[in-house]
Amino acid sequence: MTKTVHHWIGGKTVEGESGDWGPVTDPATGAVTTRVALASVEEVDRAVAAARIAFQTWGTSSLAQRTSILFRFRALLDANRDAIAELITAEHGKVHSDALGEVARGLEIVDLACGITTQLKGELSTQVSNRVDVAAIRQPVGVVVGITPFNFPAMVPMWMFPLAIACGNTFVLKPSEKDPSASLKIAELLAEAGLPDGVFNVVQGDKVAVDRLLEHPDVAAVSFVGSTPIARHIHTTASANGKRVQALGGAKNHMLVLPDADLDAAADAAVSAAYGSAGERCMAISAVVAVGAVGDELVDKIRERAEKIKIGPGDDPASEMGPLITRAHRDKVASYVHGAAEQGADVVLDGTGYTVDGYEDGHWIGLSLLDKVSTDSDAYRDEIFGPVLCVLRADTYEEGLALINASPFGNGTAIFTRDGGAARRFQLEVQAGMVGVNVPIPVPVGYHSFGGWKDSLFGDLHVYGNDGVQFYTRGKVVTTRWPDPSEPHGGVDLGFPRNH
Ligand code: NAD
């Protein structure tokens, strides 16, 4: 073990004092490379206090100051894409090109935050009544918290803090303890860009840190991204403590393939979206629903492509797919494949025996493809979060749609077809927050918002885009009358004010 990851509080590194440490593993080798501080309640309180003090000035800072810092941060982020991607690969395991993709999608939200001036313009209605004007403005909410998952250690924090600080809030990030280093690199770049101390803070930690943040009286809002059981806990607890909360959960994303679809394009898309990042994406396609007679041909095409995917360490440019995050997770993913045949599936590809020469202790698993999967099997019902694709069969569009809509999850979904009418019906009838038409991973661009339905999101507002600005600001409406000395002011009137 060569490295220690600490907190970032008040514009500088603060060494962990709790005495509790978590291990960070290189998934390609299985070796523990780093220890990460796990914050105590007192350490969380220090971070929130730093953010509260910083809010006193940042909350009223000018838009010009905020955006000039964000523009400088954008340039630094752009120049450090590779460095951040390397940190991600070393702790998460995903291949370098995929890590670069995550940085690029995070940068989109920084772009949006650089243009916050137009989003915060407010509204003015003049002469709503005699000499009365009404202005609607939005103001920051205060200290806001981001709690983020392991699978996007740079992008998901960037879904949150750029808009939050652009809107005038101060931020406390609690990143995943499994891959914490990217968060500190981001903190350093923000400081280099000139962000005042205390506007952005990082507390490393686990449940102890999260639960303190959820109950801390000085925290105004909580953004969470992670698994469904924890998202539900965050939503319930933070709401009970009077906080604004958005909690994004897990997923089981379906891809409906109609008989008229371009099957080669559909197979390419299914393989890319199911096995990219080893299936550790909340927008991964984990279930293909083949409609009509296309099932056998589609499964053949997926299998042919999946067999060619090169698995290896994320820092090897030849690798297309890396290892899983932990050994325990690898074993859990494998257990779904081992149990699939007994629960009625055809196991077309079984990747559970896969290993990489020279990296025998890495968290490797190959690609698995399960056909004719039943909706009551574990492999279908649970979010596996690994490179396991289930194929289900449906006789008609209606049957396929009903199957998708019966899922408790509703994050993303996709339809593959050449029929515009069917695609239009699907957009309107499917119960999910993000829909792709011949697009398998429909992650919205930064200026739209990201979020699912049902058990994939608890709370009202999605992240980033207009919803992000709404979430990180609160409305205020100002009604103004300037008297005209030449007119009488009307005197005392106990009646409820009416506009005339
Ligand atoms: P996770 O729920 O285990 O952890 C997420 C965060 O919560 C981490 O910071 C972790 O430290 C904290 N946490 C974990 N257990 C906790 C507990 N008992 N109490 C309080 N805090 C706790 O998720 P993960 O394994 O890091 O990430 C994978 C999950 O995230 C998948 O389910 C995936 O679908 C989901 N995800 C969802 C989206 C989305 O946009 N909907 C995006 C990315 C990931």
Side-chain angles (χ1 to χ4, degrees):
M1 194 184 305
T2 54
K3 193 174 145 189
T4 300
V5 172
H6 294 287
H7 313 296
W8 181 272
I9 300 174
K12 59 180 191 299
T13 301
V14 172
E15 295 202 359
E17 288 174 356
S18 70
D20 289 332
W21 304 92
V24 180
T25 307
D26 176 350
T29 62
V32 176
T33 57
T34 303
R35 61 174 193 163
V36 57
L38 301 178
S40 63
V41 166
E42 292 70 32
E43 287 169 311
V44 171
D45 287 356
R46 279 173 70 184
V48 175
R52 185 175 49 76
I53 291 164
F55 180 67
Q56 289 165 9
T57 43
W58 185 250
T60 53
S61 61
S62 71
L63 287 171
Q65 184 192 357
R66 288 183 222 160
T67 51
S68 61
I69 291 168
L70 282 162
F71 272 111
R72 283 199 293 276
F73 174 62
R74 194 213 178 275
L76 289 166
L77 197 59
D78 187 32
N80 282 275
R81 287 176 196 243
D82 269 315
I84 296 172
E86 278 163 20
L87 290 173
I88 295 170
T89 295
E91 295 179 353
H92 176 285
K94 67 176 73 173
V95 298
H96 187 70
S97 57
D98 194 29
L100 281 174
E102 116 160 56
V103 178
R105 293 308 297 264
L107 213 138
E108 269 183 21
I109 316 304
V110 182
D111 289 344
L112 182 73
C114 288
I116 195 68
T117 45
T118 53
Q119 306 250 23
L120 290 183
K121 276 199 304 201
E123 296 172 332
L124 175 68
S125 302
T126 55
Q127 195 64 359
V128 300
S129 187
N130 189 25
R131 293 196 313 276
V132 176
D133 300 333
V134 175
I137 60 173
R138 297 201 70 86
Q139 294 187 300
V141 297
V143 177
V144 304
V145 163
I147 301 161
T148 53
F150 81 83
N151 67 322
F152 285 110
M155 181 184 76
V156 170
M158 285 195 273
W159 283 358
M160 302 170 180
F161 75 78
L163 276 184
I165 62 178
C167 290
N169 303 283
T170 54
F171 201 89
V172 179
L173 174 65
K174 205 304 283 171
S176 170
E177 64 276 36
K178 296 190 179 107
D179 44 15
S181 291
S183 66
L184 290 189
K185 181 73 185 168
I186 287 169
E188 286 164 15
L189 296 180
L190 283 164
E192 199 180 332
L195 192 72
D197 295 348
V199 175
F200 179 81
N201 308 275
V202 183
V203 279
Q204 312 290 354
D206 55 12
K207 183 171 167 51
V208 172
V210 171
D211 286 348
R212 178 57 184 157
L213 289 166
L214 297 182
E215 69 179 23
H216 198 296
D218 291 336
V219 170
V222 177
S223 298
F224 172 87
V225 175
S227 59
T228 289
I230 310 300
R232 196 180 268 118
H233 162 68
I234 301 285
H235 184 252
T236 309
T237 311
S239 304
N241 288 323
K243 301 181 195 322
R244 182 178 285 214
V245 52
Q246 53 181 183
L248 281 69
K252 194 85 187 178
N253 303 309
H254 296 73
M255 171 171 154
L256 188 69
V257 182
L258 297 192
D260 71 339
D262 175 340
L263 287 194
D264 285 310
D268 284 343
V271 171
S272 310
Y275 303 115
S277 199
E280 290 176 324
R281 290 182 185 144
C282 67
M283 288 292 272
I285 290 293
S286 45
V288 164
V289 183
V291 175
V294 295
D296 290 349
E297 195 184 342
L298 182 61
V299 168
D300 279 348
K301 285 178 182 292
I302 293 173
R303 180 184 46 73
E304 282 164 20
R305 287 159 171 79
E307 282 171 342
K308 293 184 191 145
I309 299 298
K310 172 102 176 56
I311 303 167
D315 58 5
D316 178 347
S319 304
E320 294 169 276
M321 190 182 110
L324 291 179
I325 184 74
T326 60
R327 174 144 299 275
H329 185 52
R330 193 223 79 93
D331 292 347
K332 186 163 175 238
V333 171
S335 74
Y336 286 101
V337 181
H338 293 145
E342 204 174 291
Q343 296 193 3
D346 287 355
V347 180
V348 180
L349 289 176
D350 178 344
T352 56
Y354 198 91
T355 145
V356 175
D357 287 346
Y359 292 85
E360 282 75 12
D361 292 331
H363 313 148
W364 304 108
I365 192 163
L367 287 65
S368 295
L369 178 60
L370 310 177
D371 191 15
K372 300 187 180 133
V373 174
S374 92
T375 51
D376 54 12
S377 64
D378 294 335
Y380 176 72
R381 281 213 311 258
D382 296 353
E383 180 186 38
I384 299 177
F385 222 53
V388 182
L389 178 61
C390 297
V391 179
L392 298 93
R393 308 294 183 102
D395 289 334
T396 60
Y397 163 86
E398 285 77 11
E399 198 187 309
L401 177 78
L403 187 157
I404 297 172
N405 283 349
S407 169
F409 299 107
N411 212 38
T413 187
I415 185 169
F416 276 70
T417 180
R418 293 185 170 100
D419 179 342
R424 184 172 184 279
R425 268 190 74 183
F426 186 72
Q427 290 169 45
L428 299 179
E429 294 173 350
V430 76
Q431 304 268 318
M434 293 167 284
V435 182
V437 176
N438 299 316
V439 173
I441 305 187
V443 174
V445 289
Y447 37 97
H448 287 267
S449 300
F450 180 112
W453 285 17
K454 301 194 273 185
D455 284 0
S456 296
L457 186 144
F458 303 90
D460 304 320
L461 292 169
H462 293 190
V463 289
Y464 65 77
N466 286 344
D467 277 21
V469 176
Q470 293 290 311
F471 185 77
Y472 291 126
T473 55
R474 51 187 167 175
K476 184 180 276 181
V477 181
V478 183
T479 303
T480 307
R481 171 188 285 128
W482 290 108
D484 180 341
S486 66
E487 285 185 30
H489 54 70
V492 173
D493 179 357
L494 298 196
F496 195 66
R498 275 179 287 173
N499 295 313
H500 47 77

